[in-house]
């Protein structure tokens, strides 16, 4: 039991291999089957929990959290209690439709994500014994059954299945990009007495972590942490926490919603008190008061929002393979004005290419490249490596067919401790040539050079490194031919031949995608774990203005300094996972809507902090689960498509809000005033609801509208104050048209029975309302055409035409009398035209004047040029 309890306690990986094995109550021969089984029962399986798809009931409850949906549900219940069955039926139908659409859209996105989930490595090679005294055997066991104290064997291509301490290693390099963002493999070695590295645990040579993978070499290691205690799982645990603050969609829509909800909640009591005081009407006015409150409500907002976002997500998935897991994330993409990305795999292809080859004087020399490629070719042939190193691949690709003209003799494989690789080929008769390539400092130490010459070559290498290039030094030596083995001891007395400079291969679409994002008003910032010079070189090659490269640090005033740097810096280098999240948080605190594109466990904190997190389909499970949007490929072009789709959906939502709030506010003002002046209700509750139903059905066409290009050239954000100013001005104009209609009707009906013909009044005002709403739909929609003219309305125009026809024909149809309306004589239509024509001209003039004031007028809430949307 003592060994099981020891395994359950956190074991420090520091100390010699023997000390770590003793703390884990294990040994170089591994555990027995019985010990492993007992420890598994204590510490649990080596798994990381996954996010589960919400159930249908939970999706319905989430739908009801929408403020407008909740208020509509309350109004529907009130209508039911006062036996206003028609009103209740219409309102509750809207609630059901809204919930069904929202729940169905989110469920479809969750199912799409479930199809994209990929499993990590399923098995690991472990030394296990059947009993004490037995010889250990290497066997494949499920990763979930690993326990602290297990001894693993790792080879090229293996995923590291847990946090381990190296016991032995030979030529081991490990890809830690999913954890740290570094593009180059990191050398690892089983050092006896490790010290704390400057870069924290990931810089420790004797430790490997779950989520990384073996690039080259072999190793034997002991498991020190599994399951929830690995660093990989610690990052995964953050996915269970909510986003750091509300998203852009939540802030905008809820801000507008609660302002309107306050008016809605105040309207029924005011209507009841005013009618009781001035007209002596009591509770019989309650259905009218509820109908007026509903009339002020953009009750179709949840439906329109869901339709717009769901349609956009379907188009993205079908055309570009982009999966939006959280519907509001599509709106957030449209509002993004700063996009933070990693360098590796996004701007580059995660492979080096040869930039140039230099001799000792710094001049281009193709012979240096040829000899380096010869060394790479024979190292691959003679060392029996499973695959060429990334730098060797680049050398062979740049040099072409070389190496076969020489006879290979031997190879000394790369060792991360000495940082050299050597190939031996036949030279002149009776001579062998050693071709040594490796890290600049290690090669120079083994060359016959004067101290001054060595310093000059170091300066040459430093200048190339400062330009963002990765360097490989080349040296050769002639030796007398022999039959014995070659060892690292032969790597001495070398002649320095030159340097080979490498740069990261750029992603083919990166430059064009960056230009497209810049034209769309999205600023791109690079957050990488790579060297500052390497990151700056890539950005310059892509045409980005780099400026000062910022290395994120901590300490007193760190966050304040970071907030200042975030506003003016394009490239952040040497970023840890926490650094990336801090940069994103600083940008959000400055008022930006921030997107983050990442694919590794090290990106999870930033993915959760951003307004919208984006990950490619090939990302680590943890990153993909934490993201709001999943791309088919890690390609900025896909981001551009998603941003455009988000802006199109947001523009249509803005159109709906502009139209419905302006029209509804004007109608409510007119109804409240008319209700106090007329001896009867200005419109029956059922007429109010039918009018709203017709208007809302027509506005569903906004989900299929296509805003003009002008509406897609800048981030769109719905700002409550801008909307309130807009609807106040245009709502007042709409109310003036209603008052003009009242005056005309009063003039026509003047006499002993002045304004006592309720059916005529109701019919005329019903028709006038739908006609004005049709005008508003056409004139207030978002977007302008390419030539400066408003685009043809398309689906919106057709829906507005149908709405106008309903207003003209419904009172005279068989449905008119049951609704309390009657057919109007022809002179009444002429009088309504006398009101509507001046109103249409005034509305068009007001829209033109509003648009001339700036971008905010075109799309309320959109970022303006002087807003903080152009940083870095």
């Amino acid at each position: 039991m003592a060994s099981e309890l020891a395994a359950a306690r956190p074991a420090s990986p520091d100390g010699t291999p023997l000390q770590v094995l003793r703390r884990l109550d294990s040994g170089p021969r591994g555990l027995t089957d019985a010990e492993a089984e007992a420890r598994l029962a204590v510490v649990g399986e080596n798994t990381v929990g996954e996010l589960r798809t919400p159930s249908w009931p939970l999706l319905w409850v989430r739908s009801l959290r929408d403020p407008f949906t909740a208020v509509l549900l309350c109004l529907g219940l009130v209508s039911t209690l006062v036996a206003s069955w028609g009103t209740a039926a219409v309102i509750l139908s809207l609630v059901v439709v809204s919930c069904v659409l929202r729940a169905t859209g989110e469920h479809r996105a969750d199912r799409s994500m479930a199809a994209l989930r990929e499993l990590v490595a399923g098995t690991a090679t472990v030394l296990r014994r059947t009993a004490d005294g037995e010889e250990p055997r290497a066997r494949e066991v499920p990763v979930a059954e690993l326990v602290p104290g297990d001894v693993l064997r790792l080879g090229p291509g293996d995923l590291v299945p847990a946090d381990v301490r190296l016991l032995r290693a030979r030529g081991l390099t490990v890809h830690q990009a999913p954890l740290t963002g570094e593009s180059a493999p990191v050398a690892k070695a089983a050092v006896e007495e490790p010290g704390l590295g400057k870069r924290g645990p990931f810089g420790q040579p004797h430790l490997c972590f779950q989520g990384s993978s073996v690039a080259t070499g072999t190793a034997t290691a002991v498991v020190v942490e599994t399951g929830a205690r690995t660093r990989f799982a610690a990052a995964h645990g953050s996915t269970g926490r909510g986003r750091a603050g509300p998203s852009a969609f939540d802030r905008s829509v809820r801000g507008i919603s609660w302002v309107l909800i306050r008016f809605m909640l105040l309207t029924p009591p005011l209507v009841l008190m005013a009618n009781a005081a001035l007209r002596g009407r009591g509770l019989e006015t309650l259905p009218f008061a509820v109908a007026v409150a509903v009339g002020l409500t953009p009750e179709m907002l949840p439906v329109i929002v869901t339709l717009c976002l769901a349609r956009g997500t379907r188009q993205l998935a079908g055309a570009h393979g982009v999966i939006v897991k959280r519907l509001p994330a599509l709106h957030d993409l449209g509002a993004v004005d700063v996009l933070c990305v990693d360098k590796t795999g996004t701007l580059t292809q995660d492979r080096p290419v040869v930039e140039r080859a230099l001799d000792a004087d710094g001049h281009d020399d193709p012979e240096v490249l040829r000899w380096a490629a010869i060394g790479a070719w024979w190292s691959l042939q003679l060392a029996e490596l499973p695959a060429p190193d990334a730098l060797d691949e680049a050398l062979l690709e740049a040099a072409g067919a070389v190496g076969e003209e020489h006879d290979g003799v031997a190879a000394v494989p790369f060792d991360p401790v000495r940082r050299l690789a050597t190939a031996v080929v036949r030279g002149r008769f009776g001579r062998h040539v050693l071709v040594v390539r490796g890290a600049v400092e290690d090669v120079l130490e083994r060359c016959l050079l004067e101290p001054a010459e060595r310093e000059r070559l170091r300066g040459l290498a430093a200048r190339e490194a400062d330009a963002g290039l990765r360097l490989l030094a080349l040296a050769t030596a002639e030796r007398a031919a022999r039959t014995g083995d070659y060892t690292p001891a032969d790597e001495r007395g070398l002649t320095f031949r030159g340097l080979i400079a490498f740069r990261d291969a750029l992603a083919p679409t990166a430059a064009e995608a960056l230009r497209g994002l810049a034209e769309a008003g999205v600023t791109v910032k690079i957050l990488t774990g790579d060297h500052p010079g390497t990151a700056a070189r890539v950005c310059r090659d892509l045409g980005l203005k780099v400026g000062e490269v910022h290395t994120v640090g901590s300490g007193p005033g760190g966050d304040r300094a970071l907030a200042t740097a975030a506003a003016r810096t394009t490239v952040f280098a040497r970023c840890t996972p926490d650094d990336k999240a801090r940069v994103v948080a600083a940008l959000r605190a400055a008022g930006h809507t921030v997107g983050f594109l990442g694919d590794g466990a090290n990106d999870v904190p930033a993915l959760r902090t951003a307004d919208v997190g984006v990950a490619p389909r090939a990302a680590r499970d943890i990153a993909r689960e934490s993201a709001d949007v999943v791309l088919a490929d890690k390609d900025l072009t896909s981001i551009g498509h998603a941003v455009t789709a988000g802006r199109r959906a947001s523009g249509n939502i803005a159109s709906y809000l502009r139209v419905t709030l302006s029209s509804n506010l004007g109608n409510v003002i007119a109804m409240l005033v008319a209700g106090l002046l007329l001896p009867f209700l200005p419109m029956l509750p059922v007429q109010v609801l039918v009018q709203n139903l017709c208007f809302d059905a027509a506005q569903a066409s906004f989900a299929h509208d296509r805003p003009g290009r002008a509406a897609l050239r800048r981030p769109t954000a719905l700002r409550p104050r801008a909307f309130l100013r807009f609807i106040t001005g245009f709502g007042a104009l709409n109310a003036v048209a209603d008052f003009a209609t009242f005056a005309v009707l009063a003039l026509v009906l003047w006499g002993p029975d002045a304004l006592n013909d309720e059916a005529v009044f109701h019919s005329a005002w019903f028709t006038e309302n739908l006609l004005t709403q049709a005008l508003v739909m056409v004139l207030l929609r978002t977007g302008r055409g390419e030539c400066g003219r408003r685009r043809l309305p398309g689906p919106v125009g057709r829906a507005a035409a149908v709405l106008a026809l309903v207003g003209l024909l419904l009172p005279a149809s068989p449905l008119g009398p049951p609704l309390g309306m009657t057919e109007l004589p022809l002179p009444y239509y002429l009088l309504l035209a006398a009101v509507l024509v001046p109103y249409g001209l005034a509305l068009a003039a007001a829209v033109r004047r509003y648009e001339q004031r700036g971008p905010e007028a075109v799309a309320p809430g959109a970022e303006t040029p002087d807003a903080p949307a152009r940083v870095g």
Side-chain angles (χ1 to χ4, degrees):
M1 178 61 72
S3 65
E4 288 78 20
L5 292 176
R9 293 192 297 267
S12 171
D14 295 328
T16 66
L18 182 59
Q19 290 171 337
V20 174
L21 287 170
R22 284 176 177 173
R23 281 196 290 267
L24 291 167
D25 198 11
S26 182
R29 304 171 69 200
L31 302 175
T32 66
D33 290 336
E35 288 174 335
E37 185 176 351
R39 294 190 183 193
L40 185 64
V42 175
V43 302
E45 291 189 340
N46 179 36
T47 57
V48 178
E50 289 189 1
L51 301 178
R52 295 184 177 181
T53 300
S55 62
W56 278 105
L58 181 58
L59 289 173
W60 274 79
V61 171
R62 288 182 179 178
S63 300
L64 289 173
R65 291 187 304 181
D66 180 85
F68 278 123
T69 304
V71 170
L72 282 175
L73 180 61
C74 294
L75 292 175
L77 295 177
V78 170
S79 300
T80 303
L81 291 175
V82 299
S84 181
W85 306 115
T87 303
V90 173
I91 295 175
L92 294 178
S93 297
L94 289 172
V95 172
V96 172
V97 170
S98 172
C99 291
V100 168
L101 287 174
R102 186 177 292 269
T104 302
E106 293 193 7
H107 182 71
R108 184 182 294 112
D110 286 331
R111 284 195 306 171
S112 299
M113 267 306 300
L116 294 177
R117 292 187 181 117
E118 300 169 2
L119 297 176
V120 293
T123 61
T125 304
V126 182
L127 293 181
R128 289 272 178 90
R129 296 171 289 150
T130 56
D132 285 331
E134 297 287 337
E135 287 298 317
R137 291 188 300 111
R139 66 178 75 168
E140 294 289 320
V141 302
V143 166
E145 296 180 8
L146 292 179
V147 294
D150 264 327
V151 176
L152 304 175
R153 286 182 176 173
L154 300 172
D158 287 347
L159 293 177
V160 179
D163 290 356
V164 301
R165 201 280 187 206
L166 296 176
L167 303 178
R168 294 184 298 278
R170 184 170 183 266
L172 184 67
T173 61
V174 175
H175 284 292
Q176 292 189 156
L179 297 167
T180 64
E182 293 177 286
S183 58
V186 178
K188 297 288 183 178
V191 295
E192 284 291 319
E193 292 290 344
L196 182 62
K198 293 182 179 180
R199 299 191 60 198
F202 293 115
Q204 294 292 290
H206 64 298
L207 300 179
C208 296
F209 300 94
Q210 184 184 43
S212 55
S213 61
V214 178
T216 61
T218 60
T220 301
V222 61
V223 176
V224 294
E225 298 289 7
T226 61
R229 294 192 303 220
T230 64
R231 292 186 177 271
F232 184 87
H236 189 282
S238 67
T239 63
R241 299 190 295 269
R243 187 170 302 281
S247 68
F249 179 83
D250 296 330
R251 292 194 302 269
S252 57
V253 172
R254 291 188 179 182
I256 297 169
S257 298
W258 285 113
V259 170
L260 295 173
I261 285 171
R262 293 187 184 98
F263 284 108
M264 289 166 48
L265 296 178
L266 288 174
T267 299
L270 288 176
V271 173
L272 289 174
M273 289 187 294
N275 278 273
L278 300 178
R279 291 293 178 182
R281 301 167 185 155
L283 288 178
E284 67 271 14
T285 316
L286 182 58
F288 175 71
V290 172
V292 171
V294 174
L296 182 61
T297 310
E299 60 267 24
M300 286 287 286
L301 179 60
V303 177
I304 295 293
V305 166
T306 305
L307 283 174
C308 290
L309 298 180
R311 185 170 184 268
T313 57
R314 286 197 304 271
Q315 291 176 339
L316 274 177
H320 306 292
V322 178
I323 303 298
V324 180
K325 296 167 54 180
R326 183 176 59 87
L327 284 182
L330 185 63
H331 167 273
D332 294 342
L333 277 171
V336 163
D337 62 334
V338 176
L339 176 65
C340 298
V341 302
D342 192 4
K343 174 185 70 67
T344 306
T346 305
L347 305 180
T348 65
Q349 298 184 55
D350 198 15
R351 66 178 182 87
V353 294
V354 174
E355 174 72 8
R356 54 181 172 165
L358 306 174
D359 62 16
D361 295 324
H363 302 137
D364 291 336
D365 187 350
E367 278 296 296
V368 174
L369 175 61
R370 189 178 74 85
W371 275 107
I374 291 171
W377 170 262
W378 284 111
S379 290
L380 178 64
Q381 302 302 315
L382 299 176
E384 297 182 355
L385 298 174
D389 174 80
L391 296 181
D392 287 348
E393 278 189 322
L395 288 172
L396 295 172
E397 181 180 348
V402 297
E404 295 184 4
E405 69 272 21
H406 294 272
D407 292 329
V409 176
V412 183
F414 176 82
D415 186 330
V417 176
R418 78 182 204 285
R419 302 195 297 173
L420 298 173
T422 298
V424 183
V425 298
R426 297 188 189 279
R428 295 178 297 149
F429 179 76
R431 309 292 289 178
H432 286 171
V433 178
L434 279 69
V435 183
V436 181
R437 47 194 210 291
V440 174
E441 190 63 35
D442 295 273
V443 170
L444 289 175
E445 286 179 0
R446 290 163 173 80
C447 291
L448 292 173
L449 295 169
E450 294 294 330
E453 177 66 7
R454 184 175 282 109
E455 286 302 316
R456 185 187 70 80
L457 292 173
R458 284 174 179 160
L460 173 64
R463 287 193 297 273
E464 296 296 320
D466 290 341
L469 298 172
R470 293 167 59 184
L471 298 175
L472 193 68
L474 176 72
T476 59
E478 271 198 3
R479 300 281 191 268
R482 72 187 196 205
T483 57
D485 292 337
Y486 282 88
T487 68
D490 295 299
E491 298 167 339
R492 56 183 174 77
L494 307 176
T495 301
F496 185 80
R497 299 294 298 270
L499 300 170
I500 300 95
F502 301 84
R503 60 174 174 82
D504 288 332
L506 302 180
T509 61
E512 182 181 355
L514 287 172
R515 286 193 296 270
L517 289 170
E519 291 172 358
V522 177
T523 299
V524 177
K525 293 183 179 292
I526 315 302
L527 278 58
T528 180
D530 265 345
H531 187 278
T534 304
R537 174 62 181 255
V538 169
C539 294
R540 283 194 295 268
D541 290 345
L542 290 171
L544 285 176
K545 293 182 179 180
V546 178
E548 178 185 358
V549 178
H550 187 80
T551 302
V552 183
S554 58
D559 288 339
R560 182 178 301 177
L562 182 60
T564 302
R568 54 179 173 80
T569 303
T570 298
V571 181
F572 295 84
R574 295 297 192 196
C575 288
T576 66
D578 287 341
D579 291 337
K580 293 181 180 181
R582 289 173 58 210
V583 172
V584 172
L587 290 167
R588 291 189 68 195
H592 298 287
T593 302
V594 183
F596 183 86
L597 173 61
D599 63 352
N602 62 314
D603 295 320
V604 169
L607 286 168
R608 300 298 303 169
T609 303
D611 286 286
V612 54
V614 185
R617 181 171 54 187
R620 305 295 299 184
D621 283 351
I622 176 177
R624 201 168 56 243
E625 294 286 3
S626 302
D628 303 303
V629 178
V630 178
L631 307 177
D633 301 297
K634 193 174 182 182
D635 186 357
L636 284 178
T637 303
S638 297
I639 291 280
H641 293 313
V643 168
T644 299
R647 293 184 181 179
R648 183 174 292 119
S650 298
N652 290 338
I653 294 170
S655 289
Y656 167 76
L657 286 172
R658 291 168 60 132
V659 169
T660 194
L661 294 180
S662 301
S663 180
N664 288 356
L665 180 62
N667 287 341
V668 165
I669 293 173
M671 279 192 286
L672 291 177
V673 173
L676 299 178
L677 298 178
L678 297 175
F680 51 82
L681 292 177
M683 191 174 287
L684 299 179
V686 67
Q687 295 169 350
V688 175
L689 292 174
V690 168
Q691 172 190 293
N692 289 340
L693 188 61
C694 294
F695 190 31
D696 291 335
Q699 290 182 101
S701 61
F702 283 119
H704 303 276
D705 194 22
R706 293 183 65 85
R709 290 184 181 178
L712 306 178
R713 290 176 184 151
R714 58 188 169 275
T716 54
L718 309 176
R719 291 202 302 262
R721 290 184 179 179
F723 267 101
L724 288 177
R725 289 194 298 269
F726 184 91
I727 66 173
T728 299
F730 285 91
L733 184 59
N734 185 270
V736 170
D738 288 337
F739 292 145
T741 303
F742 296 162
V744 168
L745 293 175
L747 178 64
V748 172
L749 298 176
W750 188 263
D753 298 322
L755 295 180
N756 285 333
D757 193 339
E758 298 182 25
V760 172
F761 185 90
H762 291 160
S763 302
W765 197 20
F766 181 88
T767 299
E768 185 266 348
N769 273 337
L770 291 190
L771 292 175
T772 56
Q773 288 168 343
L775 281 173
V776 168
M777 284 182 61
V778 174
L779 294 177
L780 294 190
R781 58 181 291 273
T782 300
R784 297 184 63 83
E786 289 74 37
C787 298
R789 298 179 180 178
R790 187 169 298 279
R791 299 173 63 237
L792 293 176
V796 174
R798 292 191 292 271
V802 172
L803 182 65
L805 285 176
V806 171
L808 293 170
L809 301 178
L810 184 61
S813 72
L815 295 176
L819 296 176
M821 293 185 288
T822 185
E823 181 179 1
L824 293 175
L826 180 61
Y828 283 80
Y829 293 106
L830 297 177
L831 291 172
L832 291 178
V835 174
L836 292 173
V837 170
Y839 170 70
L841 295 174
L843 183 62
V847 169
R848 191 179 304 109
R849 182 174 180 274
Y850 194 79
E851 289 178 347
Q852 290 173 352
R853 291 169 51 188
E856 181 180 307
V858 179
E863 295 292 350
T864 56
D866 57 349
R870 309 289 186 269
V871 295

